[in-house]
Amino acid sequence: MPKNIIPDSETRATAEHAKDLRLWLRMLACTNLIENHVRARLRSDFDITLPRFDLMSQLERSPQGLKMGELSKRMMVTGGNVTGITDQLVREGLVVREDSPKDRRAYIVKLTAEGRKSFRRMAEAHEGWMVALFSGMEERQRDELYDLLASLKTSAAKVAAKH
Amino acid sequence: MPKNIIPDSETRATAEHAKDLRLWLRMLACTNLIENHVRARLRSDFDITLPRFDLMSQLERSPQGLKMGELSKRMMVTGGNVTGITDQLVREGLVVREDSPKDRRAYIVKLTAEGRKSFRRMAEAHEGWMVALFSGMEERQRDELYDLLASLKTSAAKVAAKH
DNA sequence: GAAAATATTTCGAGCCTTAAAATATCAAAA
DNA sequence: TTTTGATATTTTAAGGCTCGAAATATTTTC
């Protein structure tokens, strides 16, 4: 085996770097593929946007309702943003703002009965899309992916937190 | 082992469905974490947006330049969109529109010397961010993730193509 | 040539996003 | 109790990305 096919340390480092980049680009491509599919189907089948769906999904997980600020934190968007999205859902009758009995500055946002019903239908469809999208992978692979993503999340969160 | 801890087929199906959903939500969380980090740093360090960076990155891979329509296809966005992003990059002197000698309807978009220089600096930083973000994973894990994502991409693309 | 297809741009509209200013209220210290 | 500083939310202003449809210009095809 000739010596010159063994990469020097700089070449090796660059190759490793490029690998991380490729990994990210592939991951981004996958996510965009799925996310765009979901957006398109939410719009065509239910005439709703992903942010609105996400907000409703947060509320479904918290039947006691959430304050605007809590929604903002969980959805990782600014408060003004939540105001806008909530306004629309209120207009459509899917969500209500109730005055907080504890704090008169705050609202508590809840799903209406119609909102709950509507969300359930959407969530069911959404879950079905996911099953279809992942169906080409074996269960073992999906489990493995799930675990690796946990590791990635930890790793990335540590770095992202700094800046 | 009591019989009743063996889930019936419906319960099992539902559990499997929920797993796919959780997998997706975790993947989305990871991607958003990283993507937001990248957007923020591109803005704070280089005063550029991700779509603009992406367009430049396409051009760097194609030194002979690309037509607007090719950019549109590769970036998976509409033509009108590419027009807007290109306009801004032209204004900043990072990119030029040249008339195509073959087809007078078409432009060929290329990086300027300054655009190339600027992109190289950004790409280097970008790669560094990736190395950092993935550094908490072992190399074996990153390789495994890379392979699993290939499988996912195939699976999802097949489904997404239908609609 | 006329008709159909292609490459882009323009226009209108919607949404998300942020940052900063304005309100209102709460909570704690003086 | 009054003041002061923090908190919860909305409003406002501006910027960007995005799409889809209509408008232009040009090429290709029949």
Side-chain angles (χ1 to χ4, degrees):
Chain A
M1 206 187 231
K3 224 175 189 163
N4 62 358
I5 72 157
I6 300 173
D8 63 52
S9 73
E10 186 182 315
T11 306
R12 196 166 55 243
T14 302
E16 286 309 309
H17 287 191
K19 262 172 84 172
D20 286 339
L21 181 57
R22 275 200 305 275
L23 171 52
W24 165 240
L25 292 177
R26 181 174 284 183
M27 181 163 167
L28 188 58
C30 277
T31 304
N32 285 340
L33 184 64
I34 297 177
E35 188 169 337
N36 289 336
H37 182 71
V38 169
R39 277 186 208 275
R41 298 220 53 175
L42 280 176
R43 186 154 47 109
S44 69
D45 294 9
F46 299 107
D47 195 32
I48 198 173
T49 64
L50 190 50
R52 269 177 261 193
F53 179 76
D54 283 345
L55 193 151
M56 291 179 77
S57 141
Q58 292 296 341
L59 291 182
E60 218 237 3
R61 269 179 252 169
S62 303
Q64 78 289 0
L66 289 172
K67 291 196 292 182
M68 298 297 279
E70 288 173 330
L71 276 170
S72 166
K73 230 174 273 158
R74 296 189 194 208
M75 297 175 69
M76 315 236 281
V77 298
T78 56
N81 207 327
V82 173
T83 299
I85 298 171
T86 304
D87 285 349
Q88 298 180 81
L89 290 171
V90 168
R91 235 176 280 134
E92 292 170 37
L94 299 170
V95 140
V96 281
R97 274 186 178 90
E98 292 180 358
D99 292 326
S100 165
K102 303 276 183 185
D103 184 340
R104 289 198 308 195
R105 292 168 302 180
Y107 294 118
I108 292 176
V109 187
K110 285 181 182 171
L111 286 177
T112 62
E114 191 196 334
R116 252 189 313 280
K117 198 173 124 200
S118 165
F119 180 77
R120 286 223 192 88
R121 253 186 303 129
M122 294 190 288
E124 198 171 331
H126 183 263
E127 207 170 281
W129 304 333
M130 289 309 139
V131 172
L133 287 162
F134 285 92
S135 64
M137 296 177 80
E138 296 183 22
E139 191 185 346
R140 203 179 47 247
Q141 291 186 304
R142 293 189 303 245
D143 290 344
E144 180 72 16
L145 179 56
Y146 188 72
D147 291 340
L148 288 170
L149 288 172
S151 166
L152 172 55
K153 196 171 171 182
T154 305
S155 172
K158 204 175 300 177
V159 175
K162 283 182 197 165
H163 239 263
Chain B
M1 204 189 231
K3 224 176 189 162
N4 63 357
I5 71 156
I6 300 172
D8 63 51
S9 72
E10 187 181 315
T11 304
R12 196 167 54 241
T14 303
E16 285 309 309
H17 288 191
K19 262 172 82 173
D20 286 339
L21 182 57
R22 276 201 305 275
L23 172 52
W24 165 240
L25 293 177
R26 179 173 287 182
M27 181 164 166
L28 188 57
C30 277
T31 304
N32 285 340
L33 184 63
I34 297 176
E35 187 169 338
N36 289 336
H37 182 72
V38 169
R39 277 184 208 276
R41 299 221 52 177
L42 280 177
R43 186 155 46 112
S44 69
D45 295 9
F46 300 106
D47 194 32
I48 199 173
T49 64
L50 191 49
R52 269 176 261 190
F53 179 75
D54 283 344
L55 192 153
M56 291 178 77
S57 139
Q58 292 296 341
L59 291 183
E60 218 238 2
R61 267 179 255 169
S62 302
Q64 78 290 2
L66 289 172
K67 290 196 293 180
M68 299 298 280
E70 288 173 329
L71 277 170
S72 166
K73 231 175 270 157
R74 297 189 193 206
M75 299 175 66
M76 314 237 280
V77 298
T78 55
N81 209 330
V82 172
T83 299
I85 297 170
T86 303
D87 284 348
Q88 298 180 84
L89 290 171
V90 168
R91 236 176 279 134
E92 292 170 37
L94 300 171
V95 139
V96 281
R97 274 187 179 89
E98 294 179 357
D99 292 326
S100 165
K102 304 275 183 185
D103 185 341
R104 289 199 311 200
R105 293 167 302 179
Y107 293 118
I108 293 176
V109 187
K110 286 181 183 173
L111 287 178
T112 62
E114 191 196 333
R116 254 191 311 279
K117 198 175 124 198
S118 165
F119 180 77
R120 287 225 191 87
R121 254 186 302 128
M122 296 191 288
E124 198 172 332
H126 183 262
E127 206 171 282
W129 303 334
M130 290 309 140
V131 171
L133 287 162
F134 286 92
S135 64
M137 296 178 80
E138 296 182 22
E139 193 186 342
R140 204 179 45 248
Q141 291 185 305
R142 294 189 301 244
D143 290 344
E144 179 73 15
L145 179 55
Y146 189 72
D147 291 341
L148 288 170
L149 289 172
S151 166
L152 172 55
K153 195 171 171 183
T154 305
S155 172
K158 203 174 300 176
V159 175
K162 284 181 196 163
H163 237 264

